[in-house]
Amino acid sequence: MSRDPTFDLPTRPTRNYSRTTVEYEGSVVFGLTPEGHEVDDDHLDGLLVGVLDDGPYRYGDWFDLPMPLYTVHDDVTGDTFRAGIRDGTIELHVLPATEPPGLAALYDRLVATTDHEWAVDCRSDAPAGD
């Protein structure tokens, strides 16, 4: 965990297309967790949506899942990624073309709207063949 995250990508997921589906191999997920505060998922969802509403984001929740999950596009950096809420953590799911500046910008906006520190960890699973 780090207090000064760089959002460097240890690997990249790959996107594979079939005639009917899109599948991803590998994953990179950054977990953003409030330090010293136990915050429920509904509160984190409200915080995330507030940051997304303030822009420069276009986002949508197109999935019927038991947790909030948004596809997010940053109009300034051009980055697209998924943002979800699970177990007191905001998760930023990297897509094949996601770059660190878009992830860092969302993190900076979250930090600016709260009065506590955020712990950041990165989990990755390399695509087959890496």
Side-chain angles (χ1 to χ4, degrees):
M1 294 203 182
S2 170
R3 290 180 183 261
D4 189 21
T6 64
F7 293 96
D8 288 338
L9 303 176
T11 187
R12 284 192 178 278
T14 59
R15 186 179 290 141
N16 299 309
Y17 299 94
S18 74
R19 294 175 78 83
T20 57
T21 63
V22 175
E23 293 180 0
Y24 293 93
E25 288 186 41
S27 66
V28 177
V29 179
F30 289 92
L32 314 178
T33 307
E35 285 191 328
H37 292 79
E38 190 168 319
V39 180
D40 68 25
D41 289 355
D42 289 337
H43 178 79
L44 284 177
D45 186 38
L47 176 62
L48 177 61
V49 168
V51 168
L52 294 175
D53 282 344
D54 285 345
Y57 299 104
R58 286 180 278 153
Y59 71 97
D61 182 2
W62 295 290
F63 305 102
D64 185 21
L65 298 173
M67 63 177 261
L69 181 64
Y70 306 97
T71 299
V72 177
H73 179 79
D74 184 321
D75 287 333
V76 172
T77 67
D79 289 307
T80 301
F81 50 91
R82 291 194 180 110
I85 313 289
R86 184 190 328 241
D87 300 330
T89 298
I90 296 174
E91 297 180 337
L92 305 181
H93 297 257
V94 173
L95 297 174
T98 304
E99 295 294 339
L103 303 169
L106 180 61
Y107 169 80
D108 290 344
R109 290 181 181 103
L110 284 167
V111 168
T113 62
T114 59
D115 60 357
H116 50 76
E117 300 291 325
W118 290 80
V120 177
D121 73 311
C122 178
R123 299 181 312 276
S124 66
D125 176 29
D130 276 5

